[in-house]
């Protein structure tokens, strides 16, 4: 099945796209565990290196297992090309350093993954790349932050941990009116719940570590977009900088994609039930989940997404003490910052993922001392409720 055949539904692509069989006729995809590839002759080697003949040379450039993952994810997102990377952060790094140069400017939502904030604010300025952060849903602020040097708008939706939803179409229009690219980190939704290209995004970023793997085994990432944006500059960066994905990890993600849709639907269903239940619990002052009618952007989430995802955050009236006590009383939830796993996880953002912010930055970002984030796994919801109940009473 060819990647360019868009006639198949996403569920078929998830299982079939990108497959290349070896002469052995294996049914399940192979892990091509090899660092380099052999040429038939000196002339063939020369032609491959010159780019006159397609084919593999070295696994830092291309590898058949990585390519199967890339073609499958590209098909599912509806993008022309995908590049697999060693982590979600290296997907962001490769995209920015591949496409931007010293003197360029990024406008970014301030509600993005903490390490992305660090990359943009602590590392990029050393190389002459500046970033202005704006409130995710304040579209005037986005427009006003764009300067003649701005090349890229960067956002995640729903945001972490407050599940704030941003209007991709509106931001794409703002970006394109000023000749900028819109980059969307689609980690929380995956192509199973949200297709940013349908709303005008130019590039889609993934931390494959999260839902694409889905069982917390491997670290990896990907960027999806047009051949024109990725083929030369971003792939050229990856080839030279070595931000490539390992074949074993690519194989784990490739198999993860096969079950992505049913997992995302199950995560969303469990999260919806748990969020509704949390809203009724004493001691819970607020629940942030796009699937609840009380969520300020519930309408937007309902048109932009085909499901609401597995991440919920909620505030306890008792502040940090109540949050820590709840976390320590759970027996099923894993106390870990990772998300997108079959295992439910529980996190206190103020003292972990958002610990390094000042009190004022935390207030601005809405990270209250009583805020708890959970990534709802695939356990029985009744068991999860019973696990949380003693800490909420
Ligand atoms: C985890 C995460 C990343 C970074 O991915 P790694 O695979 O950990 O490098 C980027 N964006 C979001 C939204 C994430 O949750």
């Amino acid at each position: 099945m060819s990647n360019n055949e868009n006639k198949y539904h996403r569920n078929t692509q998830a299982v079939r796209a990108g497959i290349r069989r070896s002469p052995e006729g294996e049914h399940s995809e192979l892990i091509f565990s090899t660092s380099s590839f052999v040429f038939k002759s000196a002339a063939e080697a020369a032609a491959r290196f010159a780019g006159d003949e397609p084919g593999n040379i070295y696994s830092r450039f291309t590898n058949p297992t990585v390519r199967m993952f890339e073609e499958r994810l590209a098909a599912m997102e509806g993008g022309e090309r995908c590049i697999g990377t060693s982590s979600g952060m290296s997907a962001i790094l490769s995209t920015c350093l591949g496409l931007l140069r010293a003197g360029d400017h990024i406008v970014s939502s301030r509600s993005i993954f903490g390490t992305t904030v660090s990359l943009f604010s602590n590392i990029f300025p050393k190389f002459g790349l500046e970033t202005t952060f704006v409130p995710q849903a304040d579209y005037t602020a986005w427009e006003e932050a764009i300067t003649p040097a701005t090349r890229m708008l960067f956002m995640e939706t729903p945001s972490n941990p407050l599940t704030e939803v941003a209007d991709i179409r509106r931001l794409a229009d703002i970006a394109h009116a000023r000749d900028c690219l819109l980059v969307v980190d689609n980690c929380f939704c995956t192509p199973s719940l949200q297709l940013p290209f349908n709303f005008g995004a130019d590039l889609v970023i993934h931390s494959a570590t999260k839902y694409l793997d889905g069982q917390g085994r491997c670290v990896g990432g990907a960027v999806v977009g047009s051949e024109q944006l990725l083929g030369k500059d971003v792939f050229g960066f990856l080839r030279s900088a070595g931000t490539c994905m390992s074949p074993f990890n690519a194989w784990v993600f490739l198999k993860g994609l096969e079950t992505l849709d049913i997992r995302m639907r199950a995560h969303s269903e469990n999260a919806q039930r748990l969020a509704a239940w949390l809203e009724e619990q004493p001691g819970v002052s607020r629940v942030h989940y796009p699937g609840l009618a009380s969520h300020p952007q519930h309408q937007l989430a309902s048109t932009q997404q085909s499901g609401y995802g597995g991440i919920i955050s909620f505030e306890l009236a008792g502040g940090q003490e109540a949050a820590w006590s709840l976390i320590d009383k759970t027996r099923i939830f894993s106390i870990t910052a990772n998300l997108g796993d079959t295992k439910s996880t529980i996190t206190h953002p103020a003292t972990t993922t958002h610990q390094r912010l000042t009190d004022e930055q935390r207030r601005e970002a809405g990270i209250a001392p009583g805020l708890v984030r959970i990534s709802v796994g695939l356990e029985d919801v009744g068991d999860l409720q019973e696990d949380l109940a003693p800490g909420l009473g």
Side-chain angles (χ1 to χ4, degrees), residues 55-82:
N56 301 300
I57 298 174
Y58 187 57
S59 282
R60 171 156 40 78
F61 311 166
T62 59
N63 174 281
T65 311
V66 175
R67 192 171 51 221
M68 286 191 264
F69 162 75
E70 291 170 338
E71 291 192 358
R72 188 167 294 178
L73 182 59
M76 292 170 74
E77 281 284 1
E80 234 169 56
R81 174 83 188 261
C82 169

Side-chain angles (χ1 to χ4, degrees), residues 96-119:
C96 293
L97 294 197
L99 295 171
L100 306 177
R101 62 182 65 240
D104 286 350
H105 176 244
I106 301 168
V107 180
S108 171
S109 158
R110 70 177 182 204
S111 312
I112 56 170
F113 187 62
T115 312
T116 315
V117 175
S118 299
L119 179 72

Side-chain angles (χ1 to χ4, degrees), residues 87-89 92 113 116 156 185 187-188 207 209-210 219-220 339:
S87 65
M89 290 318 302
I92 298 172
F113 187 62
T116 315
E156 286 169 31
D185 184 331
C187 174
F188 270 36
S207 167
T209 317
K210 311 295 167 49
V219 173
L339 58 89

Side-chain angles (χ1 to χ4, degrees), residues 347-360:
T347 314
H348 184 238
T351 53
T352 60
T353 51
H354 293 68
Q355 183 192 113
R356 291 204 202 138
L357 302 187
T358 63
D359 287 349
E360 196 193 323

Side-chain angles (χ1 to χ4, degrees), residues 140-211:
T140 313
W142 284 89
E143 281 185 306
E144 286 175 358
I146 297 175
T147 73
T150 310
R151 297 278 169 273
M152 184 183 283
L153 271 51
F154 189 97
M155 50 98 88
E156 286 169 31
T157 182
S159 74
N160 181 16
L162 294 179
T163 70
E164 219 183 328
V165 179
D167 190 330
I168 301 174
R169 167 68 66 198
R170 196 155 166 190
L171 285 172
D173 289 345
I174 292 172
H176 298 154
R178 303 286 291 274
D179 238 354
C180 300
L181 298 172
L182 178 66
V183 181
V184 178
D185 184 331
N186 201 22
C187 174
F188 270 36
C189 278
T190 81
S192 141
L193 303 184
Q194 173 170 276
L195 295 166
F197 293 132
N198 287 354
F199 302 100
D202 298 290
L203 291 165
V204 170
I205 299 274
H206 276 287
S207 167
T209 317
K210 311 295 167 49
Y211 288 110

